[in-house]
Amino acid sequence: MVEIELDGQKVEVVEGSMVIHAAEKANVYIPHFCYHKKLSIAASCRMCLVDVEKAPKPMPACATPVTQGMVVRTKTEKAIKAQQSVMEFLLINHPLDCPICDQGGECQLQDLAVGYGGSSSRYSEEKRVVQAKDIGPLISTEEMTRCIHCTRCVRFGAEIGGDMELGMINRGEHSEITTIKGDSVDSELSGNMIDICPVGALTSKPFRYSARTWELSRRKSISPHDSTGANLIVQVKNHKVMRVVPLENEAVNECWIADRDRFSYEALNGPDRLTRPMLKQGGQWQEVDWQTALEYVANGIKSVREKHGADAVGALVSPHSTLEELFLASRLIRGLGSDSIDYRLRHAEFTPFEGVRWLGTSIASLSTLQSVLVFGSNLRKDHPLFAQRIRQAARHGCAVHAVNSVAYDWAMPVTTSVVVPASGWMRMLAQIAAAVAEVKAIKLPQDIAETVGEPARAIAASLLAGERKAILLGNGAAHHAQASSILALVQWIATHTGATFGYLSEAANTVGAQFVGAQPLGKGFNAAEMLAGKVKAALLLNTEPTLDSVAGVRATLDLSAVDMVVTLSPFKTNLEFSDVLLPIAPFTETAGTFVNAEGRVQSFHAVVKPLGETRPAWKVLRVLGNLLEIPDMEWETAQDVLSTVLGQENLQNSHLPVHSLHNETSVPIHAQAHECAEPVVAAIYQLDSLVRRSPALQKTVDAHVLSQGAAA
């Protein structure tokens, strides 16, 4: 540790830190533009000049290393005059258009100009003008003339996004930030450039000129998309979601969010929203009141149960639904005497429940890995924020290995990339296991007899070395026809290499769905069987089978033969085979809880009132349970439901009980490969009903990928 004096107070910081880090620790604000705590040091803006004792001139706080006994002053006349001079210089070419600027009210330059700017400038030359460029549907560069060349966006692309899509060209006054690798910025994290731009040169195209920052209410929420569980600030005006930005949580999403977390809000007020219950009468859809719709559903389910038995009633539920909704759906189905409920619509194998499958480690630990094998995942597109963390680990020497059906560009150095069809994944794992056994001189499981190739040897050696290592199973591995055998063999490899192992998890609440038992626990029909029409009454909770399942378009035909199909959705969907549509609230209009990949329990409240006659799904399911005379369904609030799910003793815990998280399997290892189809995995902007309906996201390059494709 190094001790310095900063504005008269003693501060201890780690050797190698900069003066600005010491200031942060001492809660002393130093004005800056180019510095960002998550990016490398550029020292290009010079706004952070401070007075360092014995230094001949003011020094940049972000690029001046601390030394023992250093004396720094940030409020002296020397420091303030230097900062004022820098501000005057930065404003030479700035258009000074704060009243019409989309970033007005939340602009770093505007704030610091008030504190350090003069009433007039000594420079009177004609201001530089930079032509706007179309860099995609998400980010606007209409006012690049405002740019002060802090290079935050450039460094973000190179260091966090993994691909330097923006760069600086030309020199001196002619310098400008522009695309240098193509015509557009296509990163799945690109929206973060809007947040870190300190001057309003980069703004949000969907949000642009729709509201002023001081008109917006700010409310906390949780992302309903992938299993990161990114923390959000949802900004609201007149009971309408106007913008979504990140809420910093170092343990989960740091200060970043993926583009689908940021821009999916556009779907919330889109033309597809369902605002009143609807019944299909004589092939025509008619709007009805809630009482009529719920009684129709209850009578229909009772009729099916009396005619075909309780097993004929089933539910297909989305792992993007809240913990409370999934619990009540499970309670409803099992209260009827059925066990046919399933969230695994994209799975090809359905094994008995053995425990809640999870990441196997903390999300934060991904940034510190020394070796990682990512198996069956297009990591960058399936889990952008996990990929970002592993990218940081790779920058510090982590060996990243990948086994996939396709060689994907993860925008990070990949030490070993094995491309093999899904039917050969087991054989590849067997080779890695054989290489581990060879090095450790231990006996292989009985069914393994593989010739070891060089890629397998390299992966095995990497997993055997170091202390912090992990095997991460992606969506492709979870949805594989041999998913249980893959897990069993990964378990063996992890046991003998000392690596952690687990699932990256597909959806916001995949872990939560398992925890509440949203899958057959006995002899109920699984998702594939229900999609094939084996039930006579089906509840579809927040899911679109044609897009969310293995069945694809075949689901339309199979579900059309079911006596009664009830869709609970925020959108007008499943019209071809549904008999009833019940409008339920999306995540912004209901209270609920998501459990992310590491088992972190994160609750949120509604940020706007429900649109039209939309109702929270948990309330709809509770009332439906009452109409069906199912006992013990009398909860008054979402919090009451959650206390039942978790138990009063665990209500204040940040994570699920440790004993409930369980990746171990008793399934015997069967390493024999057999022919199988590629696992069904959703593309990045086809993952759920919200991202599918976001106009901006659907205009991106990534959206041109088919909604269902080969395993990542």
Side-chain angles (χ1 to χ4, degrees):
M1 298 294 283
V2 175
E3 185 178 85
I4 72 168
E5 182 182 315
L6 184 73
D7 288 346
Q9 60 176 312
K10 300 291 185 183
V11 186
E12 277 195 354
V13 289
V14 178
E15 188 175 357
S17 300
M18 302 298 162
V19 169
I20 201 166
H21 299 141
E24 287 175 346
K25 188 173 181 180
N27 290 320
V28 174
Y29 178 71
I30 297 176
H32 59 273
F33 292 114
C34 67
Y35 170 76
H36 190 282
K37 63 182 180 182
K38 293 291 183 181
L39 304 176
S40 61
I41 302 294
S44 58
C45 75
R46 289 337 231 198
M47 192 66 209
C48 64
L49 292 175
V50 293
D51 185 3
V52 180
E53 194 174 83
K54 298 181 181 178
K57 59 182 181 180
M59 303 295 288
C62 68
T64 303
V66 295
T67 57
Q68 186 65 37
M70 176 185 278
V71 178
V72 181
R73 299 180 180 90
T74 67
K75 303 293 190 293
T76 62
E77 185 181 1
K78 182 179 178 182
I80 291 173
K81 277 191 173 180
Q83 292 164 356
Q84 289 173 338
S85 297
V86 170
M87 177 57 70
E88 186 178 9
F89 182 74
L90 290 174
L91 293 177
I92 290 175
N93 284 306
H94 195 277
L96 304 176
D97 59 347
C98 297
I100 64 163
C101 177
D102 203 46
Q103 197 152 322
E106 55 183 4
C107 174
Q108 223 173 316
L109 183 68
Q110 187 181 40
D111 294 341
L112 293 181
V114 172
Y116 299 90
S119 57
S120 62
S121 175
R122 289 169 288 177
Y123 302 98
S124 57
E125 291 82 6
E126 187 175 337
K127 292 182 181 286
R128 171 198 67 192
V129 176
V130 179
Q131 293 299 314
K133 301 169 186 66
D134 185 0
I135 63 170
L138 306 180
I139 303 174
S140 172
T141 64
E142 286 296 320
E143 284 86 23
M144 279 303 286
T145 302
R146 298 173 185 152
C147 179
I148 61 169
H149 301 159
C150 72
T151 69
R152 279 187 177 185
C153 56
V154 177
R155 285 175 285 143
F156 173 86
E159 297 165 16
I160 307 299
D163 197 2
M164 197 172 86
E165 295 176 290
L166 293 179
M168 187 179 291
I169 62 171
N170 303 325
R171 299 184 67 184
E173 190 175 63
H174 302 291
S175 299
E176 63 176 285
I177 301 291
T178 184
T179 52
I180 60 172
K181 290 193 69 174
D183 295 329
S184 60
V185 173
D186 302 321
S187 169
E188 61 286 349
L189 300 170
S190 65
N192 293 290
M193 295 180 185
I194 300 165
D195 291 338
I196 64 175
C197 178
V199 298
L202 301 176
T203 53
S204 169
K205 271 191 179 179
F207 173 72
R208 188 175 166 81
Y209 295 137
S210 59
R212 305 310 301 246
T213 180
W214 53 83
E215 299 174 319
L216 302 171
S217 302
R218 290 158 174 80
R219 295 156 190 177
K220 298 178 182 178
S221 192
I222 304 296
S223 168
H225 306 302
D226 63 42
S227 59
T228 308
N231 290 208
L232 311 176
I233 294 287
V234 181
Q235 300 184 345
V236 176
K237 179 185 176 183
N238 296 333
H239 298 289
K240 182 180 178 182
V241 175
M242 305 301 293
R243 183 167 61 170
V244 176
V245 295
L247 173 62
E248 186 171 349
N249 186 333
E250 199 63 27
V252 181
N253 55 298
E254 300 176 273
C255 55
W256 316 118
I257 55 174
D259 286 351
R260 63 184 171 199
D261 302 328
R262 185 183 302 273
F263 296 108
S264 65
Y265 74 87
E266 287 187 291
L268 297 171
N269 294 289
D272 274 0
R273 277 298 300 269
L274 177 67
T275 57
R276 292 197 67 191
M278 299 180 76
L279 294 182
K280 188 184 283 183
Q281 301 287 345
Q284 299 296 314
W285 285 101
Q286 298 178 359
E287 292 185 344
V288 297
D289 59 67
W290 270 103
Q291 187 70 24
T292 302
L294 289 172
E295 286 180 356
Y296 182 89
V297 172
N299 292 332
I301 290 174
K302 286 177 181 177
S303 175
V304 167
R305 183 172 63 171
E306 289 169 5
K307 190 175 178 180
H308 301 284
D311 290 338
V313 182
L316 293 166
V317 297
S318 168
H320 299 276
S321 302
T322 68
L323 201 66
E324 294 83 353
E325 292 163 2
L326 293 168
F327 170 75
L328 285 168
S330 177
R331 177 66 69 91
L332 176 68
I333 293 298
R334 293 195 168 96
L336 291 168
S338 175
D339 190 41
S340 301
I341 181 170
D342 211 342
Y343 74 92
R344 301 167 296 176
L345 275 74
R346 293 191 178 99
H347 286 230
E349 184 188 52
F350 302 90
T351 52
F353 179 75
E354 288 188 295
V356 177
R357 308 308 192 194
W358 67 299
L359 187 62
T361 185
S362 68
I363 292 173
S365 70
L366 298 179
S367 304
T368 63
L369 290 173
Q370 296 170 320
S371 178
V372 60
L373 168 60
V374 182
F375 194 92
S377 173
N378 184 0
L379 182 67
R380 181 179 173 185
K381 303 301 181 183
D382 292 347
H383 301 91
L385 293 172
F386 290 170
Q388 185 276 130
R389 285 193 178 268
I390 293 174
R391 189 172 295 123
Q392 302 315 308
R395 290 181 67 217
H396 292 94
C398 174
V400 180
H401 310 280
V403 177
N404 281 307
S405 300
V406 178
Y408 294 100
D409 177 12
W410 289 352
M412 70 177 83
V414 177
T415 307
T416 309
S417 179
V418 180
V419 179
V420 60
S423 56
W425 286 4
M426 282 299 299
R427 184 170 294 146
M428 188 64 221
L429 272 179
Q431 286 191 39
I432 296 169
V436 170
E438 192 177 277
V439 173
K440 296 196 73 176
I442 56 177
K443 189 177 179 182
L444 277 167
Q446 196 170 6
D447 283 348
I448 297 178
E450 289 291 333
T451 303
V452 181
E454 283 307 310
R457 289 188 195 277
I459 294 170
S462 182
L463 290 174
L464 286 164
E467 298 177 353
R468 300 183 301 277
K469 48 226 180 165
I471 303 174
L472 303 176
L473 298 171
N475 299 345
H479 304 167
H480 196 278
Q482 291 180 281
S484 59
S485 295
I486 288 172
L487 177 60
L489 196 45
V490 164
Q491 177 180 276
W492 188 93
I493 295 168
T495 301
H496 291 92
T497 59
T500 61
F501 70 102
Y503 287 93
L504 292 165
S505 302
E506 180 183 43
N509 214 17
T510 300
V511 174
Q514 299 172 75
F515 182 74
V516 299
Q519 62 191 75
L521 302 176
K523 295 182 179 179
F525 294 123
N526 59 45
E529 292 169 330
M530 284 188 274
L531 285 166
K534 287 197 174 183
V535 292
K536 298 298 181 182
L539 268 67
L540 308 182
L541 175 60
N542 206 24
T543 187
E544 300 171 284
T546 54
L547 299 170
D548 289 331
S549 74
V550 171
V553 294
R554 193 182 70 247
T556 300
L557 183 63
D558 292 337
L559 288 171
S560 296
V562 175
D563 292 356
M564 171 176 271
V565 178
V566 181
T567 292
L568 291 83
S569 173
F571 303 103
K572 295 175 183 176
T573 186
N574 302 337
L575 300 177
E576 301 90 341
F577 48 78
S578 293
D579 299 290
V580 187
L581 299 182
L582 301 178
I584 60 169
F587 79 107
T588 52
E589 299 170 17
T590 183
T593 304
F594 291 135
V595 182
N596 71 2
E598 67 175 5
R600 184 181 293 268
V601 179
Q602 300 185 111
S603 295
F604 55 92
H605 298 286
V607 300
V608 293
K609 63 182 182 182
L611 188 64
E613 293 186 25
T614 297
R615 297 289 182 268
W618 72 266
K619 285 188 178 181
V620 175
L621 291 165
R622 185 205 63 194
V623 173
L624 195 55
N626 296 153
L627 291 173
L628 290 166
E629 300 174 353
I630 295 170
D632 302 323
M633 292 190 74
E634 303 298 331
W635 299 278
E636 294 297 322
T637 66
Q639 186 71 11
D640 294 340
V641 181
L642 184 63
S643 63
T644 304
V645 175
L646 297 178
Q648 199 65 42
E649 68 279 5
N650 297 315
L651 203 55
Q652 301 304 317
N653 295 344
S654 62
H655 290 72
L656 291 180
V658 175
H659 61 81
S660 65
L661 302 172
H662 182 72
N663 286 327
E664 288 74 24
T665 180
S666 59
V667 173
I669 295 173
H670 296 295
Q672 294 89 355
H674 60 74
E675 289 301 315
C676 62
E678 293 291 328
V680 175
V681 177
I684 183 171
Y685 298 136
Q686 291 293 329
L687 181 63
D688 58 69
S689 57
L690 283 175
V691 296
R692 290 180 202 128
R693 291 172 171 85
S694 169
L697 292 177
Q698 294 307 316
K699 292 175 185 173
T700 61
V701 170
D702 281 331
H704 296 169
V705 180
L706 295 175
S707 62
Q708 308 285 338

